[in-house]
Amino acid sequence: GYFGKSYIKLTMINQEGLLGILKLLKSMKINSNLRGPYQPKGNRRPVYTLIILKNDALKFREHIGSSHSEKKNMLNMLGRHAGISR
């Protein structure tokens, strides 16, 4: 996944897997959107993207977080941009 300054983006070829994640996030009151399919260049399979925008990315940080150090830092940066420290 990609953790940006104002969103989290997860891209996969497994649409069913992303739908499961979408459902789980919804149960935690974390809004997200599923987009796609997108066709990458070349003969690769179509991909789908799940996007969590800033306010809900903060909820993601609080409820789920990340064990990956760089992604954890990006989540903390989201909080600092919103005036929330951890």
Side-chain angles (χ1 to χ4, degrees):
Y2 173 77
F3 290 56
K5 289 184 180 179
S6 61
Y7 64 92
I8 298 171
K9 179 170 83 172
L10 180 61
T11 301
M12 297 174 62
I13 60 172
N14 182 348
Q15 183 184 21
E16 283 187 37
L18 281 178
L19 287 171
I21 293 169
L22 186 82
K23 185 176 179 180
L24 178 64
L25 291 171
K26 187 174 183 173
S27 74
M28 299 170 81
K29 298 189 182 346
I30 299 173
N31 295 313
S32 58
N33 297 306
L34 185 61
R35 298 186 180 158
Y38 300 107
Q39 185 62 49
K41 292 181 182 177
N43 291 330
R44 296 174 27 194
R45 294 171 59 183
V47 296
Y48 300 86
T49 301
L50 182 114
I51 297 177
I52 306 169
L53 295 177
K54 188 172 190 171
N55 290 337
D56 288 295
L58 293 171
K59 290 180 193 176
F60 179 94
R61 180 186 84 154
E62 294 301 315
H63 294 291
I64 299 169
S66 177
S67 61
H68 189 278
S69 61
E70 286 182 37
K71 292 178 181 182
K72 189 181 292 186
N73 288 337
M74 292 300 290
L75 285 171
N76 288 334
M77 281 178 51
L78 272 172
R80 283 194 295 276
H81 286 253
I84 299 168
S85 62
R86 187 160 209 206

